[in-house]
Amino acid sequence: MLTRTIIAATLAAAGIAAVPAPAYAASAAYTPERVCGKGFNRVKDGHRAMKTSRGAVFGHVYLMYNKRTGKNCVAAIKTAYVGARTTTGAYLEVRGGGRSEDVQRYRYYAETGHLDGAWKCVRYSGWTRDPGNHVTAWGGRKSWGNCQG
């Protein structure tokens, strides 16, 4: 009887460990390529974790670029509180060009839209908060970069 209980417990634990939680599965469905759209690719030095002041990671922010169109896009994708509507934002600024910001209470991600940025420097950021709106996780690059088109 004890052996059967141990085997059943082991199988149950393995089954639970093998199946991702629904929130994780939902966030895994959103990649920066999918969020920004066809033709957008991750750029060098274009990824940062969105961290709280204590170092907890609530998601990731990605700077994306489309070589064909010369446009940039930023996707801020949550990994904490996925599925819950929390304040989440993405910001993109092109030096000598435009700015785009998207901030709302999102379940999975925020996205800036597409800005012209070929051969122009950009800076970007993404952030999200906990459901109580007390803790902010931020990531991005405050300095100008990715200036080579």
Side-chain angles (χ1 to χ4, degrees), residues 61 74-76 88-92 100-103 106 110-112 125-127:
V61 59
V74 171
T88 304
Y91 177 80
L92 171 63
S100 182
E101 185 174 36
D102 176 28
V103 182
Y106 286 116
E111 183 252 341
T112 58
S125 61
W127 61 95

Side-chain angles (χ1 to χ4, degrees), residues 4-135:
R4 189 181 303 171
T5 304
I6 292 172
I7 291 171
T10 302
L11 290 174
I16 292 170
V19 177
Y24 174 78
S27 68
Y30 295 102
T31 65
E33 293 84 1
R34 182 173 174 202
V35 170
C36 287
K38 187 176 179 177
F40 279 89
N41 296 294
R42 300 175 196 204
V43 300
K44 184 179 177 183
D45 193 34
H47 169 248
R48 299 285 193 281
M50 295 188 295
K51 295 181 182 180
T52 68
S53 61
R54 293 184 178 216
V57 176
F58 283 12
H60 297 269
V61 59
Y62 301 89
L63 173 64
M64 308 293 287
Y65 184 70
N66 185 316
K67 281 186 176 183
R68 187 178 58 76
T69 64
K71 294 189 182 283
N72 289 288
C73 172
V74 171
I77 302 174
K78 295 169 42 172
T79 57
Y81 310 109
V82 175
R85 290 193 183 278
T86 64
T87 302
T88 304
Y91 177 80
L92 171 63
E93 183 176 0
V94 177
R95 184 163 32 189
R99 292 182 190 157
S100 182
E101 185 174 36
D102 176 28
V103 182
Q104 289 189 45
R105 292 181 61 80
Y106 286 116
R107 290 181 175 189
Y108 305 104
Y109 64 87
E111 183 252 341
T112 58
H114 305 161
L115 287 180
D116 289 324
W119 301 102
K120 295 182 180 177
C121 301
V122 298
R123 55 185 168 193
Y124 66 98
S125 61
W127 61 95
T128 190
R129 299 189 68 137
D130 70 314
N133 226 18
H134 301 291
V135 180

